[in-house]
Amino acid sequence: MNRTRAALAAALLITLTAACSATEEKQTTVTVLAAASLTDVFKQARATYEKSHPGTKLTFSFAGSQELAAQVRQGVPADALVTADTKTMDGLKSSTTTPVTIARNKLTIVTTPGNPKNVHTLADLARPDLKVVLAAPEVPAGRYSKKILDNQHITVKPVSQEPNVRAVLSKVSMKEADAGIVYETDATAAKTTTVEIPPTQNAVATYPAATLRNAKHTKQADDFITWLTSDEAQQLLRKAGFEKP
């Protein structure tokens, strides 16, 4: 009898182990390269998505769009790409499927808490007494900022040009700079004061998403991008301050 019980217990253990192994094998990790300005909302979206897609695990790599493009060109293993502008995505046509727009964003001026230097307009950013930090021209946020300033014939001499919009926000929030230009969505969660840029002077950032042609998990990447256009995902993006695509 004891031998029979032992045999049954062993068989049960083998069955459970096999079942667990099968479950692990079915778990697919989808790697998404995403613009730095999507950091907070995508981290929130991960839990929601994985709950409704139990076989898929999302992992994100956040950086400036130009850095993400460089990674794609270098063949860094990834399944999907989401940039903060169409120009960067268009430059990768041979490496991606047809992109879809998932959101839009606008820019805003941020200052150190309380706005002690009394920054109220874009023109104020040209004042010599201000330490202004901007995203580098190669970065979408930097390109949009330059466009905004050029259109208003405003010359700003930044104390530094950062590799992504989050770095700009960090410099201002840590009081290493008096002001900067970032996306509205970044400013909402930061310890900074926001100064609105009038709609007639502002620029609109577009966020395209696409599956990479060398993706290891093409179907799962396609599913995630399709989900980003769903009502569930769009509600999360709206809540985070992004505008409809």
Side-chain angles (χ1 to χ4, degrees):
M1 181 67 78
N2 289 337
R3 289 182 179 177
T4 302
R5 288 178 179 174
L8 289 173
L12 179 59
L13 180 60
I14 291 172
T15 301
L16 289 173
T17 301
C20 289
S21 298
T23 300
E24 290 176 358
E25 288 175 2
K26 290 179 181 179
Q27 186 79 11
T28 300
T29 298
V30 175
T31 301
V32 182
L33 304 179
S37 50
L38 292 165
T39 300
D40 293 335
V41 69
F42 268 19
K43 285 182 178 179
Q44 294 173 4
R46 174 164 46 202
T48 302
Y49 186 79
E50 291 179 353
K51 185 176 180 180
S52 58
H53 297 75
T56 300
K57 179 181 178 182
L58 296 176
T59 181
F60 297 110
S61 177
F62 298 104
S65 295
Q66 86 293 344
E67 185 177 336
L68 299 178
Q71 291 176 22
V72 171
R73 293 189 180 99
Q74 291 165 9
V76 171
D79 300 295
L81 171 69
V82 189
T83 63
D85 68 332
T86 55
K87 182 177 180 179
T88 300
M89 186 67 80
D90 288 345
L92 297 168
K93 285 183 179 179
S94 62
S95 302
T96 70
T97 58
T98 302
V100 296
T101 299
I102 65 161
R104 297 185 191 280
N105 208 348
K106 290 182 180 177
L107 282 82
T108 188
I109 298 170
V110 287
T111 73
T112 50
N115 194 5
K117 293 295 184 73
N118 296 312
V119 177
H120 300 296
T121 67
L122 282 170
D124 285 336
L125 298 180
R127 283 166 30 198
D129 63 310
L130 284 184
K131 290 183 179 179
V132 178
V133 61
L134 300 173
E138 311 84 55
V139 186
R143 206 155 45 237
Y144 292 130
S145 298
K146 185 178 186 305
K147 178 181 178 181
I148 288 172
L149 294 169
D150 287 350
N151 286 345
Q152 300 304 311
H153 307 290
I154 298 169
T155 301
V156 175
K157 296 181 179 179
V159 294
S160 70
Q161 294 181 316
E162 301 301 317
N164 60 65
V165 71
R166 282 305 176 96
V168 174
L169 191 65
S170 176
K171 289 259 184 173
V172 177
S173 63
M174 294 176 68
K175 300 182 180 180
E176 294 179 14
D178 301 312
I181 297 178
V182 302
Y183 296 117
E184 287 185 348
T185 52
D186 292 300
T188 56
K191 293 180 179 179
T192 56
T193 295
T194 301
V195 178
E196 184 180 357
I197 298 174
T200 55
Q201 299 177 8
N202 214 330
V204 179
T206 300
Y207 289 72
T211 297
L212 296 175
R213 293 191 184 280
N214 65 348
K216 186 177 180 181
H217 308 293
T218 301
K219 181 184 181 304
Q220 290 83 355
D222 286 344
D223 289 345
F224 175 62
I225 290 174
T226 298
W227 178 81
L228 287 173
T229 65
S230 70
D231 289 341
E232 184 177 48
Q234 288 296 307
Q235 285 178 15
L236 289 173
L237 288 163
R238 293 299 86 69
K239 188 176 180 181
F242 289 88
E243 299 181 356
K244 292 182 179 180

